[in-house]
Amino acid sequence: MTSDLLAPLDLAFWNIESAEHPMHLGALGVFAAHSPTAGAHAADLLAARAAGVPGLRMRIRDVWQPPLALRQPFSFGGAAREPAPDFDPLDHVRLHAPADDFHTVAGRLMQRPLVRDRPPWEAHVLPGQDGVSFAVLFKFHHALADGLRALGLAAAVLDPLDLPAPRPRPAPPQRGLLPDVRRLPGLVRGALCDAGRALDIGASVALSTLDVRSSAALTAASSGTRRTTGVSLDLDDVHRVRKAEGGTVNDVLIAVVAGALRRWLDERGDGSEGVAPRALIPVSQRRPRTAHPQGNRLSGYLIRLPVGDPDPLSRLGTVRAAMDRNKDAGPARGAGAVALLADHVPALGHRLGGPLVGQAARLWFDILVTSVPLPSLGLRLGGHPLTEICPFAPLARGHSLAVAVSTYRGRVHYGLVADAEAVPDLDRLAHAVTEELAALLRACGP
């Protein structure tokens, strides 16, 4: 495996990170255990299998004078993935003492940054004190893997799945140091289109900051601490709401977040009247048939969550309409597409401006609500079936809460990660998620 320059957005994630605000994503999987020693056996399996996964050997190295094969415009001051010469899986797989609450431990582990001079991932095995379960917390830096690629890396160390062989991909075209002159007219047109799109995005970002009422609970001063929890819902119940009211499953899942925030804010005394926080809904721009790894290719939709609306079905209708407008405009325009502007910033600009960008995240959106795909097939580790999965999104500076959602074998799993000092009552918010889906079902009728 050779070196691979980080894509612009990967480089941005790498440079906006700080020790107090790490930019890794995570997932807490709970497995049914056949014996009290299942957790220790799982840790041994993970370490042994990780040694044979090339993607887990990759570290991130600063690039000031890249070798000829890597030279690209604006690469000065960038970074590249390269195989770590001294990779040891035992540095990345840890077996912990038995725990009676997996989320308490996961929260403490999520607030620890990954070691930047080693391949930026970890797997923490947490045996359950009950002896009939264990959990594994996977952490991947967002510069190493987005949600989809992180899933692939994690699946590579779980028990093998009987999947069809992937289609062979064509070799990537060789690129010279200068563009082909025959392509210059198209490149000029593309540059002009990109400039126009950048102006559209910039204007949308500016407008999105006007006339917004969020909640201090979502944008409190960051302490760098972390708390996690999760909640599981019946996917059939979500489909009942979707079939009754129209739209998509994702519309329902986002509306559940809006309603849960309303209940939570009112119960804690913060008040929800008039509150409409800006939710960033990431959208993958990855081309599935591309031969060469592209790194993170994310855009996003930005919507106002109708937290202040007291009617569950009205909230769902508002979310559905907002998502439809975003889809009509496409993921390449609008305030949510601001991540695409990373492609137009030189590598050195990411390095120098990363800390400022990280601090500006709260000016762009108030809460992240992201979906992480999971396979429908049952996952196992050492023969032990995965029974629950809670995905965790990175928590940016200036934000108190991030929400990630996955569907797995007939269940919807919400993973909540929060600033532990700003949101000490995260379990109450998780309960409000369950209450909101119940309210939607009642409103839809029999």
Side-chain angles (χ1 to χ4, degrees):
M1 183 174 287
T2 60
S3 296
D4 174 32
L5 278 178
L6 292 190
L9 189 55
D10 293 332
L11 189 60
F13 282 129
W14 189 246
N15 284 297
I16 66 176
E17 178 178 71
S18 66
E20 296 78 20
H21 298 90
M23 290 302 296
H24 53 252
L25 48 89
L28 181 69
V30 179
F31 297 82
H34 298 159
S35 71
T37 61
H41 177 56
D44 291 340
L45 277 178
L46 291 173
R49 292 172 177 174
V53 180
L56 296 178
R57 303 180 64 91
M58 303 299 283
R59 70 176 181 180
I60 296 177
R61 178 180 62 84
D62 291 337
V63 173
W64 294 100
Q65 292 182 335
L68 183 62
L70 287 182
R71 282 187 186 156
Q72 297 178 9
F74 306 128
S75 62
F76 179 77
R81 300 182 192 90
E82 66 175 15
D86 54 352
F87 174 68
D88 184 349
L90 295 179
D91 291 334
H92 302 264
V93 179
R94 306 287 174 81
L95 176 64
H96 294 257
D100 59 355
D101 182 356
F102 295 139
H103 280 288
T104 297
V105 182
R108 292 197 296 265
L109 293 172
M110 283 295 291
Q111 73 187 41
R112 299 181 188 174
L114 294 165
V115 179
R116 289 173 67 91
D117 59 0
R118 293 200 303 238
W121 68 274
E122 293 174 351
H124 297 270
V125 181
L126 315 175
Q129 284 189 342
D130 55 14
V132 298
S133 65
F134 67 90
V136 179
L137 174 67
F138 287 103
K139 294 169 54 178
F140 294 95
H141 198 285
H142 219 310
L144 176 70
D146 60 9
L148 188 59
R149 179 164 169 76
L151 171 63
L153 292 173
V157 293
L158 298 179
D159 292 356
L161 292 173
D162 186 15
L163 298 176
R167 295 180 180 180
R169 292 176 174 176
Q174 297 295 319
R175 295 183 179 178
L177 298 181
L178 295 175
D180 188 333
V181 294
R182 293 170 296 183
R183 297 175 55 222
L184 287 178
L187 291 172
V188 172
R189 286 194 299 270
L192 292 175
C193 290
D194 286 348
R197 185 167 69 240
L199 291 174
D200 284 348
I201 294 170
S204 297
V205 170
L207 291 173
S208 74
T209 63
L210 302 177
D211 191 27
V212 174
R213 182 172 178 234
S214 183
S215 169
L218 299 179
T219 55
S222 300
S223 69
T225 58
R226 294 291 182 270
R227 185 186 303 274
T228 73
T229 194
V231 60
S232 175
L233 306 178
D234 192 326
L235 182 58
D236 286 343
D237 288 342
V238 175
H239 278 298
R240 282 178 55 195
V241 176
R242 178 192 61 81
K243 291 176 181 177
E245 299 300 316
T248 67
V249 166
N250 203 40
D251 295 341
V252 178
L253 299 180
I254 296 170
V256 165
V257 173
L261 288 173
R262 175 182 174 83
R263 295 169 182 275
W264 177 64
L265 290 174
D266 286 343
E267 288 184 7
R268 73 196 324 247
D270 291 341
S272 62
E273 183 178 356
V275 172
R278 298 159 299 174
L280 177 64
I281 317 294
V283 178
S284 176
Q285 295 286 89
R286 184 192 296 273
R287 296 186 180 93
R289 295 185 181 276
T290 299
H292 192 64
Q294 303 175 70
N296 280 298
R297 291 290 301 164
L298 289 175
S299 180
Y301 298 143
L302 199 69
I303 72 170
R304 304 278 183 88
L305 293 181
V307 172
D309 189 336
D311 186 311
L313 294 184
S314 176
R315 289 194 293 269
L316 175 56
T318 299
V319 167
R320 178 184 174 186
M323 290 298 288
D324 285 346
R325 287 193 298 271
N326 274 292
K327 292 171 187 174
D328 288 343
R333 292 183 179 272
V338 71
L340 296 178
L341 299 182
D343 292 346
H344 305 284
V345 178
L348 189 59
H350 284 295
R351 182 180 295 274
L352 298 177
L356 294 177
V357 173
Q359 294 178 25
R362 66 185 302 173
L363 302 177
W364 171 27
F365 65 97
D366 302 305
I367 183 173
L368 177 70
V369 183
T370 185
S371 177
V372 181
L374 288 176
S376 58
L377 298 175
L379 299 173
R380 292 175 177 268
L381 178 55
H384 305 285
L386 177 69
T387 59
E388 299 177 35
I389 180 73
C390 284
F392 299 133
L395 190 61
R397 181 188 295 271
H399 292 120
S400 302
L401 176 68
V403 180
V405 191
S406 287
T407 58
Y408 176 69
R409 298 181 69 79
R411 305 292 295 179
V412 177
H413 299 273
Y414 281 83
L416 311 179
V417 59
D419 185 287
E421 293 187 10
V423 187
D425 54 346
L426 189 61
D427 289 341
R428 179 65 203 118
L429 177 59
H431 186 61
V433 169
T434 302
E435 292 178 325
E436 179 60 17
L437 181 57
L440 280 167
L441 287 168
R442 289 193 301 269
C444 290

